[in-house]
Amino acid sequence: KLGAQLKILVEGPVLGAKDIEIAEATLPVGLGAGPASHRHGSTEIIYVVSGELDHVVNGEAHRLTPGMIGIVKPTDTVIHRVVGQTPVKVLLIWSPGGEVERLAQTFRQRPIR
């Protein structure tokens, strides 16, 4: 939400299995400014391509910069906060899959392919 763009790169119908999903996301300046946290139904691996992201997992903040990875397990609560004045581009990997459909409901539309 908040202007985030999600481009689906690999999902079940393309892969022929529900083992993994991969997406590229652009997160806008100001994303995560509030205290709201969320959970994922699968393990989420976040690879930062550009920008700076505060990755708050179970209340513990980590600053992710280009080339760094963050991991969120299904039992974790997480907040993703864009730091600075430029959007953040990330590669997202979910295993097992299922997050694309959940995100489609959250965004109230199917993420772009």
Side-chain angles (χ1 to χ4, degrees):
K1 289 189 172 182
L2 295 172
Q5 295 182 346
L6 194 66
K7 180 180 179 184
I8 305 306
L9 303 175
V10 175
E11 64 178 317
V14 173
L15 186 61
K18 296 182 178 186
D19 300 344
I20 195 165
E21 293 174 329
I22 303 172
E24 175 186 270
T26 301
L27 310 175
V29 173
L31 179 88
S37 63
H38 64 277
R39 292 180 189 257
H40 291 279
S42 58
T43 297
E44 178 181 59
I45 300 168
I46 303 158
Y47 175 80
V48 178
V49 176
S50 62
E52 290 187 29
L53 185 69
D54 269 351
H55 175 68
V56 185
V57 180
N58 301 323
E60 186 176 329
H62 306 272
R63 176 72 48 97
L64 302 180
T65 58
M68 294 179 78
I69 289 178
I71 297 175
V72 181
K73 294 179 257 172
T75 55
D76 294 335
T77 57
V78 65
I79 301 170
H80 304 297
R81 289 190 183 123
V82 174
V83 179
Q85 298 303 310
T86 58
V88 172
K89 185 173 277 191
V90 294
L91 184 68
L92 301 168
I93 301 167
W94 297 291
S95 180
E99 289 296 297
V100 169
E101 282 305 317
R102 189 187 67 77
L103 288 169
Q105 293 173 12
T106 300
F107 282 78
R108 296 187 183 183
Q109 64 183 24
R110 189 123 180 107
I112 58 175
R113 288 191 166 91

